[in-house]
Amino acid sequence: MVYVLIFVFVFGVVIGSFLNVVILRYGTGQSFVKGSSRCFSCGKKLSWHELVPIFSFLIQKGRCRGCGSKISWQYPVVEFLTGALFVATFLQLSTSEVDSWRVLFLWVIVSLLIIISVYDIKHFIIPNKIVWIFNGLAFAMLFCGFFYQGPSLVVLPRTVLGSFLGGLAFFSFFALLWAVSRGRWMGFGDAKLALGLGWFLGPSQTFSAFLISFWLGAVVGIGLLALSKYSLKSQIPFGPFLVAGAVISFLFDLNIFGLLYGG
Ligand SMILES: [Zn+2]
């Protein structure tokens, strides 16, 4: 079992390294698979031993071998996070029943959510194509026969309908926040993301995810204000908080509404 988990982690780290390329090249017209990686400062082509995920960053102490300029923390962090979340989703499923389709499906979902979060942190916008791929998969899952069991993957026709309507309700809530604040509290991208999260998680987990994301957002916002790194006017992207809330709520199968009201 330990060997399986190590394999899953290493596989996740390698996928994470690919996600970094997607985040970097999305919207630039460059291919995600062609073209070699280069240093941003000196343009030095990176050799295979400079492209080993996590290790290269640690060995080179986060600097380019050619010119010594700093390499972004994004690279090792995304690689590690992808590995860790692949392991976590794998473990979460193994409590019920591991089915290779389900595992693969969840890893694709995790990968899309990581791209959305990191891209949002870097560019203050949720990448449109990626969020619609996520929403499409969540929609397909709702109606797909072979995801019939499991802790949070929906079962009954009633639940499918509930999740579908829940997603629309969550979308409307965020779209309203976006409209009322004229995009200052939320971007429209957050509303689109809420739609897919509602479909993917179902109403009770989505509700928990949103509570967690607002709490996390408040804590981080206050923290940044206290460190006076930001003023009240500065923008903090909300997408990463939504994703963090969703991941926590999914992994721990949370139902905060049920806990509060004994449901
Ligand atoms: Zn360089």
Side-chain angles (χ1 to χ4, degrees):
M1 186 62 186
V2 177
Y3 292 108
V4 174
L5 292 182
I6 291 172
F7 177 78
V8 167
F9 180 75
V10 171
F11 178 69
V13 166
V14 171
I15 296 294
S17 159
F18 173 69
L19 299 184
N20 274 321
V21 176
V22 174
I23 293 161
L24 184 70
R25 297 187 181 173
Y26 179 88
T28 62
Q30 284 175 284
S31 161
F32 296 144
V33 283
K34 285 185 209 150
S36 47
S37 301
R38 289 169 181 279
C39 167
F40 296 117
S41 297
C42 64
K44 177 186 176 306
K45 233 183 181 180
L46 301 181
S47 56
W48 67 268
H49 58 86
E50 291 166 298
L51 288 167
V52 182
I54 302 178
F55 286 103
S56 294
F57 185 89
L58 295 177
I59 290 166
Q60 293 166 224
K61 300 196 177 84
R63 288 179 185 279
C64 167
R65 286 208 159 160
C67 64
S69 59
K70 278 191 176 173
I71 303 167
S72 167
W73 274 96
Q74 177 204 317
Y75 298 97
V77 168
V78 167
E79 285 155 1
F80 180 81
L81 196 67
T82 311
L85 286 178
F86 274 29
V87 169
T89 42
F90 185 79
L91 286 174
Q92 205 261 10
L93 271 189
S94 67
T95 55
S96 53
E97 186 192 308
V98 181
D99 156 335
S100 50
W101 280 110
R102 235 184 254 171
V103 173
L104 274 180
F105 180 79
L106 284 178
W107 287 350
V108 171
I109 293 288
V110 163
S111 302
L112 292 171
L113 291 178
I114 288 174
I115 296 173
I116 288 173
S117 314
V118 179
Y119 196 88
D120 197 15
I121 293 172
K122 286 181 80 174
H123 302 287
F124 295 97
I125 191 154
I126 288 177
N128 200 40
K129 277 179 200 151
I130 308 288
V131 79
W132 280 115
I133 294 172
F134 169 68
N135 289 356
L137 285 176
F139 184 81
M141 188 205 78
L142 272 185
F143 292 95
C144 226
F146 51 85
F147 298 113
Y148 54 88
Q149 229 184 8
S152 52
L153 303 176
V154 284
V155 200
L156 304 164
R158 181 170 54 86
T159 329
V160 169
L161 189 64
S163 298
F164 179 71
L165 295 176
L168 292 181
F170 292 127
F171 168 79
S172 312
F173 172 70
F174 278 84
L176 188 71
L177 286 181
W178 167 75
V180 168
S181 72
R182 291 190 197 133
R184 272 176 297 136
W185 302 337
M186 292 293 154
F188 194 63
D190 297 314
K192 287 185 249 177
L193 181 58
L195 179 70
L197 289 178
W199 286 343
F200 177 66
L201 295 172
S204 71
Q205 277 193 10
T206 310
F207 183 78
S208 311
F210 290 165
L211 279 185
I212 294 167
S213 59
F214 281 109
W215 290 335
L216 283 176
V219 168
V220 171
I222 290 167
L224 288 176
L225 279 178
L227 293 168
S228 58
K229 286 211 167 187
Y230 285 80
S231 71
L232 272 177
K233 277 181 185 167
S234 50
Q235 243 188 334
I236 299 174
F238 196 63
F241 295 109
L242 278 177
V243 169
V247 167
I248 292 169
S249 155
F250 177 77
L251 289 178
F252 297 100
D253 196 11
L254 290 183
N255 181 0
I256 295 175
F257 194 77
L259 290 177
L260 292 175
Y261 298 100

